[in-house]
Short mmCIF file of all heavy atoms in Angstrom, two decimals:
data_model
loop_
_atom_site.label_atom_id
_atom_site.label_comp_id
_atom_site.label_asym_id
_atom_site.label_seq_id
_atom_site.Cartn_x
_atom_site.Cartn_y
_atom_site.Cartn_z
N ALA J 609 -8.35 29.37 -25.61
CA ALA J 609 -7.67 29.07 -26.87
C ALA J 609 -6.23 29.56 -26.89
O ALA J 609 -5.55 29.44 -27.91
CB ALA J 609 -8.46 29.67 -28.04
N ARG J 610 -5.77 30.14 -25.78
CA ARG J 610 -4.39 30.62 -25.72
C ARG J 610 -3.67 29.92 -24.58
O ARG J 610 -4.22 29.84 -23.47
CB ARG J 610 -4.37 32.15 -25.50
CG ARG J 610 -4.98 32.96 -26.63
CD ARG J 610 -4.15 32.89 -27.91
NE ARG J 610 -4.74 33.65 -29.01
CZ ARG J 610 -5.62 33.18 -29.87
NH1 ARG J 610 -6.06 31.93 -29.76
NH2 ARG J 610 -6.09 33.93 -30.85
N GLY J 611 -2.45 29.44 -24.87
CA GLY J 611 -1.70 28.66 -23.89
C GLY J 611 -1.61 29.31 -22.52
O GLY J 611 -1.77 28.65 -21.51
N GLY J 612 -1.35 30.60 -22.47
CA GLY J 612 -1.17 31.26 -21.18
C GLY J 612 -2.46 31.64 -20.49
O GLY J 612 -2.45 32.14 -19.37
N GLY J 613 -3.60 31.44 -21.16
CA GLY J 613 -4.90 31.72 -20.54
C GLY J 613 -5.07 33.17 -20.14
O GLY J 613 -4.64 34.09 -20.85
N VAL J 614 -5.68 33.38 -18.95
CA VAL J 614 -5.98 34.75 -18.51
C VAL J 614 -4.72 35.59 -18.31
O VAL J 614 -4.72 36.78 -18.64
CB VAL J 614 -6.81 34.76 -17.20
CG1 VAL J 614 -8.27 34.52 -17.50
CG2 VAL J 614 -6.29 33.76 -16.20
N ASP J 615 -3.66 34.96 -17.81
CA ASP J 615 -2.43 35.74 -17.58
C ASP J 615 -1.89 36.29 -18.90
O ASP J 615 -1.37 37.40 -18.96
CB ASP J 615 -1.37 34.87 -16.90
CG ASP J 615 -1.76 34.50 -15.48
OD1 ASP J 615 -2.46 35.31 -14.85
OD2 ASP J 615 -1.40 33.40 -15.03
N TYR J 616 -2.02 35.48 -19.94
CA TYR J 616 -1.54 35.90 -21.25
C TYR J 616 -2.33 37.10 -21.77
O TYR J 616 -1.76 38.11 -22.19
CB TYR J 616 -1.63 34.73 -22.23
CG TYR J 616 -1.42 35.10 -23.68
CD1 TYR J 616 -0.15 35.40 -24.17
CD2 TYR J 616 -2.50 35.18 -24.55
CE1 TYR J 616 0.03 35.75 -25.50
CE2 TYR J 616 -2.33 35.51 -25.88
CZ TYR J 616 -1.07 35.81 -26.35
OH TYR J 616 -0.89 36.15 -27.66
N ILE J 617 -3.66 37.01 -21.72
CA ILE J 617 -4.50 38.09 -22.22
C ILE J 617 -4.25 39.37 -21.41
O ILE J 617 -4.09 40.46 -21.96
CB ILE J 617 -6.00 37.72 -22.14
CG1 ILE J 617 -6.28 36.42 -22.90
CG2 ILE J 617 -6.89 38.85 -22.62
CD1 ILE J 617 -6.32 36.53 -24.38
N TYR J 618 -4.21 39.19 -20.09
CA TYR J 618 -3.98 40.32 -19.19
C TYR J 618 -2.66 41.01 -19.51
O TYR J 618 -2.56 42.24 -19.56
CB TYR J 618 -3.99 39.80 -17.75
CG TYR J 618 -3.68 40.81 -16.68
CD1 TYR J 618 -4.58 41.83 -16.38
CD2 TYR J 618 -2.48 40.74 -15.95
CE1 TYR J 618 -4.31 42.74 -15.38
CE2 TYR J 618 -2.20 41.65 -14.95
CZ TYR J 618 -3.12 42.66 -14.67
OH TYR J 618 -2.84 43.56 -13.68
N SER J 619 -1.61 40.22 -19.76
CA SER J 619 -0.29 40.78 -20.06
C SER J 619 -0.27 41.43 -21.43
O SER J 619 0.28 42.51 -21.62
CB SER J 619 0.77 39.67 -20.01
OG SER J 619 0.72 39.00 -18.79
N LEU J 620 -0.88 40.74 -22.39
CA LEU J 620 -0.85 41.23 -23.76
C LEU J 620 -1.45 42.63 -23.86
O LEU J 620 -0.92 43.51 -24.54
CB LEU J 620 -1.64 40.28 -24.66
CG LEU J 620 -1.62 40.63 -26.15
CD1 LEU J 620 -0.55 39.81 -26.86
CD2 LEU J 620 -2.96 40.43 -26.79
N LEU J 621 -2.54 42.84 -23.12
CA LEU J 621 -3.21 44.13 -23.19
C LEU J 621 -2.32 45.25 -22.65
O LEU J 621 -2.50 46.42 -22.99
CB LEU J 621 -4.53 44.09 -22.40
CG LEU J 621 -5.64 43.27 -23.06
CD1 LEU J 621 -6.80 43.08 -22.11
CD2 LEU J 621 -6.10 43.95 -24.35
N GLN J 622 -1.36 44.87 -21.80
CA GLN J 622 -0.47 45.89 -21.22
C GLN J 622 0.95 45.75 -21.77
O GLN J 622 1.87 46.39 -21.27
CB GLN J 622 -0.42 45.72 -19.70
CG GLN J 622 -1.77 45.79 -19.04
CD GLN J 622 -1.68 45.50 -17.56
OE1 GLN J 622 -1.11 46.28 -16.81
NE2 GLN J 622 -2.20 44.37 -17.15
N GLY J 623 1.11 44.92 -22.80
CA GLY J 623 2.47 44.59 -23.24
C GLY J 623 3.00 45.42 -24.39
O GLY J 623 4.04 45.10 -24.95
N TYR J 624 2.31 46.49 -24.76
CA TYR J 624 2.78 47.30 -25.89
C TYR J 624 3.99 48.13 -25.48
O TYR J 624 4.05 48.63 -24.37
CB TYR J 624 1.66 48.21 -26.40
CG TYR J 624 0.62 47.43 -27.16
CD1 TYR J 624 -0.45 46.84 -26.50
CD2 TYR J 624 0.75 47.24 -28.53
CE1 TYR J 624 -1.39 46.10 -27.19
CE2 TYR J 624 -0.19 46.51 -29.24
CZ TYR J 624 -1.26 45.94 -28.56
OH TYR J 624 -2.18 45.20 -29.25
N ASP J 625 4.94 48.20 -26.38
CA ASP J 625 6.20 48.88 -26.07
C ASP J 625 6.81 49.34 -27.38
O ASP J 625 6.41 48.88 -28.45
CB ASP J 625 7.15 47.88 -25.37
CG ASP J 625 8.04 48.59 -24.37
OD1 ASP J 625 8.18 49.82 -24.49
OD2 ASP J 625 8.58 47.90 -23.48
N ASP J 626 7.82 50.22 -27.26
CA ASP J 626 8.55 50.57 -28.48
C ASP J 626 9.40 49.36 -28.86
O ASP J 626 9.95 48.70 -28.00
CB ASP J 626 9.46 51.78 -28.21
CG ASP J 626 8.61 53.02 -27.98
OD1 ASP J 626 7.52 53.10 -28.60
OD2 ASP J 626 9.01 53.88 -27.17
N PRO J 627 9.52 49.09 -30.15
CA PRO J 627 10.33 47.93 -30.54
C PRO J 627 11.79 48.14 -30.17
O PRO J 627 12.29 49.26 -30.25
CB PRO J 627 10.14 47.87 -32.06
CG PRO J 627 9.65 49.21 -32.46
CD PRO J 627 8.91 49.78 -31.29
N PRO J 628 12.46 47.08 -29.71
CA PRO J 628 13.89 47.20 -29.41
C PRO J 628 14.67 47.49 -30.69
O PRO J 628 14.17 47.22 -31.79
CB PRO J 628 14.26 45.84 -28.83
CG PRO J 628 13.12 44.94 -29.07
CD PRO J 628 11.96 45.73 -29.54
N ALA J 629 15.87 48.04 -30.53
CA ALA J 629 16.68 48.37 -31.69
C ALA J 629 16.87 47.13 -32.56
O ALA J 629 17.06 46.03 -32.06
CB ALA J 629 18.04 48.89 -31.23
N GLY J 630 16.78 47.32 -33.86
CA GLY J 630 16.99 46.18 -34.76
C GLY J 630 15.71 45.53 -35.22
O GLY J 630 15.69 44.77 -36.17
N VAL J 631 14.59 45.81 -34.52
CA VAL J 631 13.32 45.24 -34.94
C VAL J 631 12.57 46.27 -35.77
O VAL J 631 12.29 47.36 -35.29
CB VAL J 631 12.46 44.82 -33.73
CG1 VAL J 631 11.10 44.31 -34.19
CG2 VAL J 631 13.18 43.77 -32.92
N THR J 632 12.33 45.96 -37.02
CA THR J 632 11.56 46.89 -37.85
C THR J 632 10.15 46.36 -38.01
O THR J 632 9.94 45.17 -38.15
CB THR J 632 12.21 47.06 -39.24
OG1 THR J 632 12.47 45.76 -39.76
CG2 THR J 632 13.49 47.86 -39.18
N LEU J 633 9.21 47.28 -37.96
CA LEU J 633 7.82 46.88 -38.05
C LEU J 633 7.19 47.43 -39.31
O LEU J 633 7.42 48.59 -39.68
CB LEU J 633 7.06 47.42 -36.83
CG LEU J 633 7.52 46.90 -35.48
CD1 LEU J 633 6.83 47.67 -34.36
CD2 LEU J 633 7.24 45.42 -35.33
N ASP J 634 6.40 46.60 -39.99
CA ASP J 634 5.66 47.08 -41.15
C ASP J 634 4.54 48.01 -40.70
O ASP J 634 4.23 48.08 -39.51
CB ASP J 634 5.05 45.90 -41.92
CG ASP J 634 6.13 45.02 -42.52
OD1 ASP J 634 7.24 45.54 -42.74
OD2 ASP J 634 5.87 43.82 -42.73
N ASP J 635 3.94 48.65 -41.67
CA ASP J 635 2.79 49.51 -41.37
C ASP J 635 1.67 48.66 -40.79
O ASP J 635 1.38 47.57 -41.28
CB ASP J 635 2.31 50.15 -42.68
CG ASP J 635 2.21 51.66 -42.51
OD1 ASP J 635 2.83 52.18 -41.55
OD2 ASP J 635 1.52 52.28 -43.32
N GLY J 636 1.05 49.13 -39.73
CA GLY J 636 -0.09 48.40 -39.18
C GLY J 636 0.32 47.21 -38.33
O GLY J 636 -0.50 46.38 -37.98
N VAL J 637 1.62 47.11 -38.02
CA VAL J 637 2.08 46.04 -37.14
C VAL J 637 2.70 46.69 -35.91
O VAL J 637 3.40 47.69 -36.03
CB VAL J 637 3.12 45.14 -37.85
CG1 VAL J 637 3.64 44.08 -36.91
CG2 VAL J 637 2.49 44.50 -39.08
N TYR J 638 2.42 46.13 -34.74
CA TYR J 638 2.87 46.75 -33.50
C TYR J 638 3.71 45.78 -32.70
O TYR J 638 3.62 44.58 -32.87
CB TYR J 638 1.65 47.23 -32.69
CG TYR J 638 0.76 48.11 -33.51
CD1 TYR J 638 -0.27 47.56 -34.28
CD2 TYR J 638 0.97 49.49 -33.57
CE1 TYR J 638 -1.07 48.35 -35.07
CE2 TYR J 638 0.17 50.29 -34.36
CZ TYR J 638 -0.84 49.73 -35.11
OH TYR J 638 -1.62 50.52 -35.90
N TYR J 639 4.52 46.33 -31.80
CA TYR J 639 5.39 45.51 -30.97
C TYR J 639 4.71 45.22 -29.64
O TYR J 639 4.20 46.13 -28.99
CB TYR J 639 6.73 46.20 -30.74
CG TYR J 639 7.70 45.33 -29.98
CD1 TYR J 639 8.47 44.38 -30.66
CD2 TYR J 639 7.84 45.44 -28.60
CE1 TYR J 639 9.33 43.56 -29.98
CE2 TYR J 639 8.70 44.62 -27.91
CZ TYR J 639 9.45 43.68 -28.60
OH TYR J 639 10.30 42.85 -27.92
N ASN J 640 4.69 43.95 -29.27
CA ASN J 640 4.11 43.56 -27.98
C ASN J 640 4.99 42.50 -27.33
O ASN J 640 5.31 41.48 -27.95
CB ASN J 640 2.69 43.02 -28.19
CG ASN J 640 1.96 42.85 -26.87
OD1 ASN J 640 2.42 42.16 -25.96
ND2 ASN J 640 0.81 43.50 -26.77
N LYS J 641 5.37 42.77 -26.08
CA LYS J 641 6.30 41.89 -25.38
C LYS J 641 5.79 40.47 -25.23
O LYS J 641 6.56 39.52 -25.15
CB LYS J 641 6.55 42.45 -23.96
CG LYS J 641 7.55 43.57 -23.91
CD LYS J 641 7.82 43.97 -22.47
CE LYS J 641 6.71 44.89 -21.95
NZ LYS J 641 6.99 45.49 -20.64
#
Side-chain angles (χ1 to χ4, degrees):
Chain J
R610 297 292 180 272
V614 279
D615 292 329
Y616 168 75
I617 303 284
Y618 176 70
S619 306
L620 184 97
L621 288 170
Q622 303 175 68
Y624 286 88
D625 212 340
D626 292 328
V631 176
T632 49
L633 298 171
D634 294 336
D635 232 19
V637 177
Y638 307 89
Y639 185 83
N640 190 304
K641 280 185 280 189

